[in-house]
Amino acid sequence: VDLADIIVKDTEGRDVRLGDFWRDRPAALVFVRHYG
Amino acid sequence: LRPQAEDFVKAGGKLVVVGNGWPAMAKSWAEHVGFPPSVAVVTDPSRKAYDVAGMKRSVGLTLLNPRSMLRWMRARRRGFRQGRTAGDAWQQGGALVVRPGGKVTFRYVSLGPGDHVPPQQLVAALTRAA
């Protein structure tokens, strides 16, 4: 599985393809343990 | 991360914060933290992205880790209190920098609570990737 193809959700519940974030510029992804 | 949020834009990149609860949890948390609009907050309830990115998930790393206990005690002494946990309590975090085309140029895998990449280090990695 390619990380770019993984679909996540934005805060409104809409699908977002992760790879779209680094399509035309680098992206720093911070994976948080949990909220709070 | 919030105080450094604009530094990621200045570095020529995008800061994406990935959580693992439901979108409503992500929204409430993002509003509480007060991230600027330049930061994308997304959530991965299946934790598939965590898995593919190489992040760890472990009860042992979370609870039985002496370094985590030390960090917890230090944070508590400084007055930090963790609120209710929303999301997967055993999931560990970390960070990646990914360039256009998908090459990962920086990876930090957290080995327990309180083990975070310093934001300046992440900004520097993003600057190098831009």
Side-chain angles (χ1 to χ4, degrees), chain B:
Chain B
L1 272 175
R2 187 185 50 74
Q4 292 86 12
E6 295 301 335
D7 295 345
F8 290 86
V9 179
K10 288 181 200 150
K14 175 91 178 166
L15 173 60
V16 183
V17 181
V18 185
N20 59 72
W22 297 108
M25 295 177 191
K27 186 175 184 178
S28 153
W29 177 76
E31 284 169 359
H32 173 72
V33 175
F35 284 117
S38 61
V39 179
V41 176
V42 296
T43 191
D44 173 32
S46 69
R47 298 190 315 275
K48 200 170 174 184
Y50 283 75
D51 190 29
V52 173
M55 304 307 159
K56 298 183 184 299
R57 183 175 184 275
S58 158
V59 176
L61 281 174
T62 309
L63 293 182
L64 309 174
N65 180 338
R67 282 192 297 175
S68 298
M69 284 304 289
L70 277 173
R71 289 190 201 102
W72 180 80
M73 286 190 285
R74 201 182 307 142
R76 217 176 150 75
R77 234 184 3 250
R78 290 177 186 166
F80 291 100
R81 297 286 187 277
Q82 185 178 317
R84 274 186 64 209
T85 299
D88 183 329
W90 312 131
Q91 178 66 56
Q92 306 301 318
L96 296 180
V97 171
V98 192
R99 292 178 68 174
K103 184 175 166 59
V104 174
T105 58
F106 176 89
R107 184 190 305 269
Y108 187 95
V109 177
S110 170
L111 293 178
D115 179 20
H116 308 296
V117 60
Q120 299 86 344
Q121 198 180 332
L122 195 55
V123 170
L126 191 64
T127 304
R128 286 194 299 274

Side-chain angles (χ1 to χ4, degrees), chain A residues 4 19 25 33 35:
Chain A
R25 65 193 151 170
R33 290 181 56 230
Y35 305 115

Side-chain angles (χ1 to χ4, degrees), chain A residues 1 10 17 33:
Chain A
V1 181
D10 70 10
R17 183 179 171 272
R33 290 181 56 230

